[in-house]
Amino acid sequence: MSTTEQRVAVVTGAARGIGAATAVRLAAEGHAVAVLDLDEAACKDTVEKITAAGGKAVAVGCDVSDEAQVEAAVARIAEELGAPTVLVNNAGVLRDNLLFKMSVSDWDTVMNVHLRGAFLMSKACQKHMVDAGYGRIVNLSSSSALGNRGQVNYSAAKAGLQGFTKTLAKELGKFGITANAVAPGFIATEMTKATAERVGMGFEDFKAAAATQIPVARVGEPEDIANAIAFFTGEAAGFVSGQVLYVAGGPLD
């Protein structure tokens, strides 16, 4: 068994979309995977897909914005799978609205899940990474970090994750831990489907319109992001840290 096969990875928001695709990809890379989401039962399909392919995975229910739940979840993962040394902070929510319509609750919810959640998960997992002298942290940012109408909360959170990532890279590098961020463009997920519904468009029309603005002439799929994450979490990426990779089908202004 190789070193990579012995690594334990935690993927948050892994019940569906980018998180599920990432969990499946990391399992294929030889990791044991903790499939973490708010609703543990919702992780069943992802876990079954991994185990059916011969991989090892466990479903874990956790609200990443709750400190006690995060501590309990990481302790459980360490006990059932082993010390987590790979962490993908993917959990996220949308509460889109224009600034003057946005409630304080909608602002706080997005900040708590994206930023507080990444902070709590990273803090809990880094203890195990430091002990192991090895770690990989990947945070999911977004092209919205560059600014996007109707997403002042989401844009701020995703931009914040880039600064968070660069600081982790500086603080944790001496312990053999890298930290990088992947910033997706338009990816076909339940989240973008919800955005289409919010603006009153059918999802297929919404995707087709988006594709006309993307140089590769298609929208992204969750697997496109999982591929980038797989690189950052791999053994070969040990000299890559503090980077933000936009995966958007072309350059962004």
Side-chain angles (χ1 to χ4, degrees), residues 184-199:
F186 189 108
I187 308 298
T189 64
E190 290 298 316
M191 190 174 283
T192 48
K193 184 177 181 180
T195 300
E197 292 173 354
R198 179 176 62 83
V199 299

Side-chain angles (χ1 to χ4, degrees), residues 2-250:
S2 72
T3 302
T4 300
E5 289 174 328
Q6 298 171 353
R7 302 292 183 196
V8 174
V10 182
V11 183
T12 70
R16 59 187 61 83
I18 291 171
T22 299
V24 170
R25 175 61 189 270
L26 294 187
E29 295 286 321
H31 297 76
V33 183
V35 179
L36 190 149
D37 211 286
L38 185 62
D39 178 8
E40 185 168 317
C43 299
K44 179 181 177 182
D45 288 347
T46 307
V47 170
E48 288 182 347
K49 185 175 290 188
I50 291 170
T51 56
K56 185 175 183 180
V58 61
V60 180
C62 177
D63 177 352
V64 297
S65 69
D66 184 296
E67 183 178 8
Q69 288 191 40
V70 167
E71 291 288 345
V74 172
R76 177 187 162 194
I77 291 164
E79 181 177 351
E80 294 187 17
L81 291 180
T85 55
V86 175
L87 170 64
V88 180
N89 284 310
N90 168 73
V93 295
L94 289 178
R95 294 291 186 274
D96 294 350
N97 223 327
L98 295 174
L99 175 63
F100 79 99
K101 293 181 180 179
M102 186 172 291
S103 68
V104 172
S105 175
D106 286 346
W107 173 272
D108 288 345
T109 295
V110 169
M111 292 297 164
N112 285 342
V113 175
H114 292 269
L115 282 175
R116 180 181 169 90
F119 161 70
L120 291 174
M121 288 298 303
S122 298
K123 186 176 181 182
C125 288
Q126 63 89 28
K127 301 172 187 176
H128 297 284
M129 296 177 186
V130 170
D131 288 344
Y134 175 94
R136 298 285 187 266
I137 299 173
V138 180
N139 299 311
L140 268 293
S141 181
S142 169
S143 59
S144 291
L146 302 174
N148 196 32
R149 179 179 172 84
Q151 290 192 317
V152 66
N153 49 2
Y154 187 76
S155 295
K158 290 306 192 182
L161 280 169
Q162 295 189 17
F164 177 70
T165 297
K166 291 177 182 294
T167 302
L168 289 185
K170 291 183 177 182
E171 290 188 4
L172 301 178
K174 64 182 179 181
F175 302 108
I177 302 167
T178 66
N180 292 285
V182 174
F186 189 108
I187 308 298
T189 64
E190 290 298 316
M191 190 174 283
T192 48
K193 184 177 181 180
T195 300
E197 292 173 354
R198 179 176 62 83
V199 299
M201 287 184 69
F203 194 33
E204 293 304 315
D205 290 339
F206 193 60
K207 290 190 291 183
T212 65
Q213 305 301 312
I214 299 172
V216 299
R218 70 170 176 89
V219 300
E221 298 294 336
E223 290 74 18
D224 291 313
I225 306 307
N227 291 338
I229 293 170
F231 167 71
F232 280 135
T233 56
E235 300 280 338
F239 200 58
V240 182
S241 194
Q243 303 305 304
V244 179
L245 176 62
Y246 283 87
V247 183

